[in-house]
Amino acid sequence: MSLEQVTKADRPATDDDAMLVRVQREDFSIDEELTRVRRRSKRIGGIATFLGTARDRSKGKDVDGITFEHYEGMAQKKLREIRERAIKDFGVIEVLVLHRYGEITIGENIVLIIAAAEHRAEAFRACQWAIDELKQITPIWKLEHTPEGEVWVEEHP
Amino acid sequence: MSLEQVTKADRPATDDDAMLVRVQREDFSIDEELTRVRRRSKRIGGIATFLGTARDRSKGKDVDGITFEHYEGMAQKKLREIRERAIKDFGVIEVLVLHRYGEITIGENIVLIIAAAEHRAEAFRACQWAIDELKQITPIWKLEHTPEGEVWVEEHP
Amino acid sequence: MVTIQLFGMTKMLAGNRGTLSLSLHDGKRVKDLVSVIDAAYPKIGELLQKKKVLVSVNQEIAHEDLEVKDGDEIALLPPFAGGNR
Amino acid sequence: MVTIQLFGMTKMLAGNRGTLSLSLHDGKRVKDLVSVIDAAYPKIGELLQKKKVLVSVNQEIAHEDLEVKDGDEIALLPPFAGGNR
């Protein structure tokens, strides 16, 4: 990775900030997202990442595919809050939070958290907190396509 | 990612196993390594990753670059043990352990752990244990290049 | 009139409509909104009573005593899924 | 004769030699090896005494009472670094 090619000075901080929290239909590359995070600082020594992918089974049922629906505006707002709190509360250098919506095929990417820090302990803590919090507070809903039909998934029955 | 294109049946399990534990000079792509892990199972829903990178400071000193030296044979043996114990003890589906040696420029990749599981909790546990264990038991040594000269780093002084 | 955005299972329970329009007078609160919805869509009303579906006002979860004003962005939020993790 | 692989700071302390060759009779143990190294390279010997440098035999950390046999793969291991994490 060339850290010299793209520095903070090359692009407005606001553009970068917006790219670090996204809800999007398209798939993403983990390498590209890591590059986005890493060019924020040369002080980064440990990066913890969580990638959620579409499993072929859920609570004992076969799953053929998933559709995610999100509340445009509120979903982004909650993900921004998660990024800001993770940076502030865990003393990490940068956090990226990315969630897909729309149709997801089995095996595909759903959600990505990247937490970059000087050392690994705080990177792991921030990453794990961020994905737990995302699940609790982000208005995103999951429709599972199963051989028996479609089911809106309630994680808290 | 095409899960259909490359299945376990297409390549001998032993080749895959060897690629899941490596000590190498070359840099690596996290996307490629994730693909290697993900094609092992469609049951994977949570993937925790740790990426160690070369910071520009270490214990208050500036660092211009790092050289890693490893004990060929024993290093690979210890990384294989880490992968096998992580899979067995944490109930995860697959684990990849990769460490570079040779000259590393600031900002570059050093070490990668990928732990893939059905759910995120065990993926995080296996990933964090594996990197902690790697640091304890793997015969790899670090020479830091600083403005004042070169220093072999002792992590346990 | 206030417009209420629906998502997931609440959209399904309202016959796959993405929004509901309700007439509501000034000075009404979230709990009054819930009563009106309950009358029109009892299944959604039941989920609201059980707090399985929450009401958000201006993109924050709202207390039942919060006053709803003209122009507020209102939505019914079924339990979040978050992803297959 | 046994050949001992050196790494990191022990290599440096042995004048940047990657290996040491020592003559050692049958029935000798790791602790005897340590004594021979101590006589030839006191700085390495000191680190061995303090257990800052460990001896591995056939790619496993060895107890001082382990017997060293002809053909064993022996190495001196300074403290591991693991990476800048």
Side-chain angles (χ1 to χ4, degrees):
Chain A
M1 201 190 71
S2 170
L3 280 163
E4 306 308 323
Q5 262 171 358
V6 186
T7 63
K8 271 170 132 173
D10 291 325
R11 42 172 66 212
T14 47
D15 274 15
D16 251 9
D17 281 1
M19 292 301 282
L20 291 165
V21 175
R22 281 139 54 209
V23 183
Q24 67 182 37
R25 187 181 289 277
E26 309 77 53
D27 199 3
F28 47 82
S29 148
I30 289 86
D31 279 328
E32 280 174 29
E33 302 306 328
L34 282 167
T35 301
R36 203 184 300 288
V37 168
R38 291 165 71 162
R39 67 174 169 234
R40 306 279 279 189
S41 170
K42 291 188 180 182
R43 196 67 29 107
I44 294 169
I47 305 175
T49 297
F50 178 76
L51 176 65
T53 59
R55 279 181 290 139
D56 66 353
R57 284 181 75 77
S58 170
K59 293 170 187 153
K61 312 184 313 291
D62 287 329
V63 177
D64 305 322
I66 306 175
T67 304
F68 283 95
E69 186 179 17
H70 74 294
Y71 178 176
E72 176 73 24
M74 184 174 173
Q76 283 84 348
K77 181 185 177 189
K78 291 296 158 190
L79 297 188
R80 275 196 304 275
E81 287 175 13
I82 290 168
R83 171 171 173 262
E84 284 156 19
R85 285 169 57 197
I87 292 173
K88 187 167 166 288
D89 294 354
F90 296 91
V92 296
I93 294 171
E94 191 50 271
V95 172
L96 176 142
V97 185
L98 181 44
H99 205 295
R100 289 180 69 196
Y101 68 89
E103 307 278 322
I104 308 270
T105 304
I106 297 307
E108 279 191 338
N109 298 324
I110 297 170
V111 57
L112 178 69
I113 308 276
I114 299 177
E118 281 200 61
H119 303 282
R120 71 185 183 284
E122 60 263 31
F124 272 116
R125 277 195 295 267
C127 184
Q128 204 155 3
W129 175 83
I131 185 63
D132 289 349
E133 189 71 3
L134 182 152
K135 194 159 178 172
Q136 294 290 324
I137 71 165
T138 313
I140 296 181
W141 297 275
K142 179 164 67 173
L143 183 68
E144 283 180 351
H145 310 269
T146 76
E148 289 80 38
E150 298 186 336
V151 191
W152 282 104
V153 177
E154 291 188 58
E155 290 283 337
H156 316 285
Chain B
M1 201 189 73
S2 170
L3 281 163
E4 306 307 323
Q5 261 172 356
V6 186
T7 63
K8 270 171 131 171
D10 291 326
R11 43 171 65 210
T14 46
D15 275 13
D16 251 9
D17 281 1
M19 292 302 281
L20 290 165
V21 174
R22 282 138 57 207
V23 182
Q24 67 182 37
R25 188 180 288 277
E26 310 77 52
D27 198 4
F28 47 81
S29 148
I30 289 85
D31 280 327
E32 279 174 29
E33 302 307 327
L34 282 167
T35 300
R36 203 185 299 286
V37 168
R38 291 165 71 163
R39 68 175 170 233
R40 305 280 279 190
S41 170
K42 291 188 181 184
R43 194 67 29 105
I44 294 169
I47 305 175
T49 296
F50 178 75
L51 177 64
T53 59
R55 280 182 288 138
D56 66 354
R57 284 182 75 77
S58 171
K59 293 169 189 154
K61 309 185 314 291
D62 286 329
V63 178
D64 305 321
I66 306 174
T67 305
F68 283 95
E69 186 179 19
H70 73 293
Y71 178 175
E72 176 73 24
M74 183 174 174
Q76 284 85 347
K77 182 184 178 192
K78 292 296 159 189
L79 297 188
R80 275 196 304 276
E81 286 175 15
I82 290 169
R83 170 170 173 262
E84 284 156 19
R85 285 170 55 197
I87 293 172
K88 187 165 164 289
D89 293 355
F90 296 90
V92 297
I93 294 170
E94 190 51 270
V95 171
L96 176 142
V97 184
L98 182 44
H99 205 295
R100 290 180 68 196
Y101 68 89
E103 307 276 322
I104 308 269
T105 304
I106 298 306
E108 279 191 339
N109 297 325
I110 298 170
V111 57
L112 178 69
I113 308 277
I114 299 176
E118 281 200 60
H119 301 103
R120 69 183 183 285
E122 61 263 30
F124 273 116
R125 275 195 297 268
C127 185
Q128 204 155 4
W129 175 83
I131 185 63
D132 289 349
E133 189 71 3
L134 182 150
K135 193 159 178 171
Q136 293 291 323
I137 72 166
T138 313
I140 295 182
W141 298 275
K142 178 164 68 171
L143 183 68
E144 284 180 349
H145 310 270
T146 76
E148 290 78 40
E150 299 187 334
V151 190
W152 282 104
V153 177
E154 291 187 57
E155 291 282 337
H156 315 286
Chain C
M1 291 289 281
V2 292
T3 301
I4 300 170
Q5 298 185 58
L6 303 180
F7 299 98
M9 69 171 70
T10 56
K11 187 155 71 178
M12 189 182 66
L13 292 172
N16 283 318
R17 299 174 56 178
T19 58
L20 294 179
S21 292
L22 301 181
S23 70
L24 204 68
H25 302 291
D26 282 352
K28 293 278 178 155
R29 296 173 193 278
V30 165
K31 59 186 166 191
D32 304 316
L33 200 79
V34 169
S35 301
V36 176
I37 294 166
D38 190 33
Y41 299 95
K43 282 185 182 167
I44 299 179
E46 193 188 327
L47 293 169
L48 282 163
Q49 301 293 349
K50 287 185 189 167
K51 307 282 184 202
K52 290 187 75 169
V53 168
L54 301 175
V55 178
S56 71
V57 175
N58 299 328
Q59 302 186 358
E60 291 294 341
I61 308 294
H63 190 273
E64 59 176 10
D65 288 328
L66 186 76
E67 201 177 309
V68 178
K69 294 181 294 293
D70 210 44
D72 277 349
E73 182 180 325
I74 303 171
L76 300 189
L77 312 179
F80 307 147
N84 214 341
R85 296 176 293 274
Chain D
M1 291 288 281
V2 293
T3 301
I4 301 170
Q5 298 184 58
L6 303 179
F7 299 97
M9 67 171 71
T10 55
K11 188 155 68 179
M12 189 182 67
L13 292 173
N16 284 318
R17 298 175 58 178
T19 57
L20 295 179
S21 291
L22 301 179
S23 69
L24 204 70
H25 300 291
D26 282 352
K28 293 276 178 156
R29 297 173 193 278
V30 166
K31 59 186 168 192
D32 304 314
L33 201 77
V34 169
S35 302
V36 176
I37 293 167
D38 190 32
Y41 300 94
K43 283 186 180 165
I44 299 179
E46 194 187 326
L47 293 169
L48 283 162
Q49 301 295 349
K50 287 184 187 167
K51 307 284 183 201
K52 291 186 76 171
V53 168
L54 301 175
V55 178
S56 71
V57 175
N58 298 327
Q59 303 186 357
E60 291 294 340
I61 307 294
H63 190 274
E64 59 175 12
D65 289 328
L66 186 77
E67 201 177 309
V68 178
K69 291 182 295 293
D70 211 42
D72 278 348
E73 181 180 325
I74 302 171
L76 300 188
L77 311 180
F80 306 148
N84 213 340
R85 297 176 292 273

